[in-house]
Amino acid sequence: MPSLTFIGLGLYDERGISLHGLDRAKAADMVLLENYTNVMPGLNLESLKRLIGREIRLVGRREVEDGRWILEAASRGEVALLVAGDPFVATTHVDLRLRAVRRGIRVEVVNAPSIISVAPGAVGLQNYKFGRSATITFPEPLSLVPYETLRINRGLGLHTLFFLDLRVEEGRFMDASEAIRLLLEMESQQRGGVVPDDTLMVVLARAGSPSQLVQAGRAVVLKDLDFGPPPHSLIVPGRLHFMEAEALVLIAGAEEGLVRGCL
Amino acid sequence: MPSLTFIGLGLYDERGISLHGLDRAKAADMVLLENYTNVMPGLNLESLKRLIGREIRLVGRREVEDGRWILEAASRGEVALLVAGDPFVATTHVDLRLRAVRRGIRVEVVNAPSIISVAPGAVGLQNYKFGRSATITFPEPLSLVPYETLRINRGLGLHTLFFLDLRVEEGRFMDASEAIRLLLEMESQQRGGVVPDDTLMVVLARAGSPSQLVQAGRAVVLKDLDFGPPPHSLIVPGRLHFMEAEALVLIAGAEEGLVRGCL
């Protein structure tokens, strides 16, 4: 039956797909892989083709944003669109979905892990204590949205998850140390007392991969460290429950004195 | 190697497990299924056993909270603990993990979709516009935490995701209409103007399942509807981006006039 099925691949490699997702991809008439909204550090296209047992056509930003031939194909047969992470976290997927619905095309979704739910658990923080999240973008020019988001969340005692800018097609990925330097730069411009040098931060690199790295520490120390290949995320904790504080010590290597100040 | 691997099963049935998760479960010396923190409406234990190719031992709340024999087993061999949704969303998993780390047991994680990331996408709202989430609990007695959370988020123009109380072992699941009635009751007690009768709300029932239902409407209308079997979630949108408003009309059946008031 003509349809467009969004299938999440998760965070790391082709084996992050669920059994449902694999079933649906195998049954599709055409399999597409959108590879620009996110980066999956372990993805091997040949291995993914072998798993699904068919050719996979890569689609870039322009083809997804334009969407016309994809929707045309989905109005004639079953199209599976594989995406990194979970579908519909990226606005461009929501837009494509709405256009499909308007054309009367059946839309289905097979979910996969997203950094949104994985990040809190990976570092040992409780998801319901996170406020709004934000993206730290390359400073062209410097956007203060992350600073304002942090100001509000910290005022409420909430944690903040920052996504870091990435431009997969250009091979540019912001690393966590650059993101921290940008937050400190915003502080020195705004002087709101939101990001003192010794702010407790948690870097999460390559979430969900075998080389996942979790490192908690003071902003002024973390800003000069190298956390390896992308993708990176950054968390700035608010007030900590004692179990969260313990988790940051045991899982993220935080100094006890530093987390104690956030209880 | 002795280890404790938390493996997420996702939201619906046994085929929500990722290929990585299946690999790890097959390789384990012992496979446990924790079946009390969440409900998976389509889960078939026999089918899961066949997939993994071995016996699965069910573990209840007391065994996980006590944790001793599980940690004992994980210090002698590879233990796979299957959980609904994504691991570490439930505090009890974080606690078990920290005790394992303290005992020097290797802990690994295989992620799966969680309602946290699935819910925004399922109803067409943008994840970064959600504030803090909260749980609406059975009124024994009535907790005002959801009301206060909503007051803060709405003041900031943010969306709010509510998890609804469930007691799997007692077979009790709060449905979305009861949750809405409780929010309206909080409003009539507090009179803060946070939940007027015509508040736009979005019910998400059986997220990620073939019978997933998404229904947007006025609180006073939704509170009397039957959304079918559990689990249910509830979203109260804040200010809407035009694409979100369009999504609520197209995906969730919202009246145009109602969403227009939230732009």
Side-chain angles (χ1 to χ4, degrees):
Chain A
M1 185 162 54
S3 59
L4 177 59
T5 303
F6 292 83
I7 302 175
L9 294 177
L11 299 178
Y12 172 57
D13 72 5
E14 59 280 0
R15 298 188 74 78
I17 196 171
S18 69
L19 300 180
H20 274 302
L22 191 58
D23 292 345
R24 296 303 307 263
K26 284 180 176 173
D29 298 307
M30 181 187 288
V31 181
L32 311 176
L33 171 64
E34 180 273 276
N35 65 338
Y36 73 90
T37 53
N38 232 315
V39 61
M40 295 177 62
L43 186 64
N44 180 314
L45 188 60
E46 290 308 312
S47 164
L48 183 59
K49 283 180 190 171
R50 276 195 302 274
L51 272 175
I52 296 176
R54 60 202 316 161
E55 276 307 304
I56 295 173
R57 175 164 171 177
L58 296 181
V59 288
R61 180 183 297 273
R62 219 176 309 173
E63 289 168 284
V64 177
E65 287 182 355
D66 174 84
R68 281 177 292 187
W69 76 257
I70 299 176
L71 294 174
E72 199 52 52
S75 62
R76 288 195 309 267
E78 293 188 28
V79 174
L81 178 59
L82 306 174
V83 305
D86 196 38
F88 307 139
V89 169
T91 313
T92 178
H93 302 154
V94 179
D95 184 51
L96 186 62
R97 173 193 193 176
L98 295 182
R99 284 190 285 162
V101 171
R102 259 187 254 119
R103 285 182 61 157
I105 297 168
R106 182 184 171 90
V107 173
E108 302 203 26
V109 186
V110 183
N111 293 109
S114 161
I115 188 69
I116 297 167
S117 56
V118 167
V123 308
L125 297 175
Q126 290 300 304
N127 75 79
Y128 66 88
K129 292 180 63 188
F130 278 74
R132 180 179 196 165
S133 53
T135 299
I136 300 179
T137 52
F138 290 114
E140 304 160 355
L142 190 67
S143 159
L144 290 170
V145 171
Y147 187 84
E148 282 307 308
T149 303
L150 195 56
R151 189 179 59 74
I152 292 171
N153 287 345
R154 282 177 77 93
L156 295 165
L158 300 177
H159 313 321
T160 306
L161 170 62
F162 289 111
F163 311 109
L164 307 189
D165 207 355
L166 47 81
R167 302 192 186 160
V168 179
E169 290 172 323
E170 301 169 31
R172 285 182 73 192
F173 305 95
M174 185 181 294
D175 58 32
S177 48
E178 179 174 359
I180 295 169
R181 287 193 299 270
L182 289 170
L183 286 174
L184 292 171
E185 187 180 327
M186 295 174 208
E187 176 61 40
S188 70
Q189 281 186 16
Q190 301 293 310
R191 303 189 173 280
V194 175
V195 194
D197 277 359
D198 63 349
T199 303
L200 170 64
M201 296 191 175
V202 190
V203 170
L204 173 59
R206 299 171 300 285
S209 86
S211 69
Q212 173 176 295
L213 179 151
V214 178
Q215 178 67 55
R218 294 169 208 273
V220 71
V221 174
L222 297 177
K223 79 173 175 41
D224 295 321
L225 301 184
D226 178 358
F227 303 102
H232 295 181
S233 310
L234 180 67
I235 293 171
V236 183
R239 273 193 296 279
L240 298 172
H241 179 269
F242 76 91
M243 196 193 286
E244 294 180 312
E246 193 175 2
L248 289 183
V249 171
L250 285 171
I251 297 172
E255 297 163 43
E256 296 213 12
L258 184 58
V259 299
R260 217 176 291 128
C262 300
L263 283 170
Chain B
M1 186 163 53
S3 59
L4 177 59
T5 303
F6 293 83
I7 302 175
L9 294 177
L11 299 178
Y12 172 58
D13 74 3
E14 60 280 359
R15 298 187 74 77
I17 196 171
S18 69
L19 300 181
H20 273 302
L22 191 59
D23 292 345
R24 295 304 306 263
K26 284 180 176 174
D29 298 306
M30 182 187 288
V31 180
L32 310 177
L33 171 63
E34 180 273 275
N35 66 338
Y36 73 89
T37 52
N38 231 315
V39 60
M40 294 176 63
L43 186 64
N44 180 312
L45 188 59
E46 290 308 314
S47 164
L48 183 58
K49 282 180 190 171
R50 276 195 303 273
L51 272 176
I52 298 177
R54 59 203 316 160
E55 275 308 304
I56 295 173
R57 176 164 171 176
L58 296 180
V59 289
R61 182 183 295 273
R62 218 177 309 174
E63 288 167 284
V64 176
E65 287 182 354
D66 174 84
R68 280 177 294 185
W69 77 256
I70 298 175
L71 294 175
E72 199 53 51
S75 62
R76 288 193 309 268
E78 292 189 28
V79 174
L81 178 59
L82 306 174
V83 305
D86 196 38
F88 307 138
V89 169
T91 313
T92 177
H93 302 155
V94 179
D95 184 51
L96 185 62
R97 171 194 195 177
L98 295 183
R99 285 190 285 162
V101 171
R102 260 187 254 118
R103 284 181 61 157
I105 297 168
R106 184 184 171 90
V107 174
E108 302 203 25
V109 186
V110 183
N111 293 108
S114 161
I115 187 69
I116 297 167
S117 54
V118 168
V123 308
L125 297 176
Q126 290 301 304
N127 75 78
Y128 66 88
K129 292 179 62 189
F130 279 73
R132 181 180 195 164
S133 54
T135 299
I136 300 180
T137 52
F138 290 114
E140 304 161 355
L142 190 67
S143 159
L144 290 171
V145 170
Y147 187 84
E148 283 306 307
T149 304
L150 195 55
R151 190 178 58 74
I152 292 170
N153 287 345
R154 282 177 78 93
L156 295 165
L158 300 177
H159 312 322
T160 307
L161 169 63
F162 289 112
F163 309 109
L164 307 189
D165 207 353
L166 47 81
R167 302 192 187 161
V168 179
E169 289 172 323
E170 300 167 32
R172 287 182 73 192
F173 305 95
M174 184 180 295
D175 58 31
S177 48
E178 179 175 359
I180 295 169
R181 289 193 299 272
L182 289 171
L183 286 175
L184 292 171
E185 187 180 328
M186 294 174 209
E187 176 61 41
S188 70
Q189 281 185 16
Q190 301 292 309
R191 304 189 173 279
V194 175
V195 194
D197 276 0
D198 63 349
T199 303
L200 169 64
M201 295 191 176
V202 190
V203 171
L204 173 59
R206 300 171 299 286
S209 85
S211 69
Q212 173 177 296
L213 179 151
V214 178
Q215 178 66 55
R218 293 170 209 275
V220 71
V221 174
L222 297 177
K223 78 174 175 40
D224 295 321
L225 301 184
D226 179 358
F227 303 102
H232 295 181
S233 310
L234 180 67
I235 293 170
V236 183
R239 274 193 296 279
L240 298 173
H241 180 269
F242 77 91
M243 195 193 287
E244 294 179 313
E246 194 176 2
L248 289 183
V249 171
L250 286 172
I251 298 172
E255 299 164 41
E256 295 213 14
L258 184 58
V259 299
R260 218 177 291 127
C262 299
L263 283 169

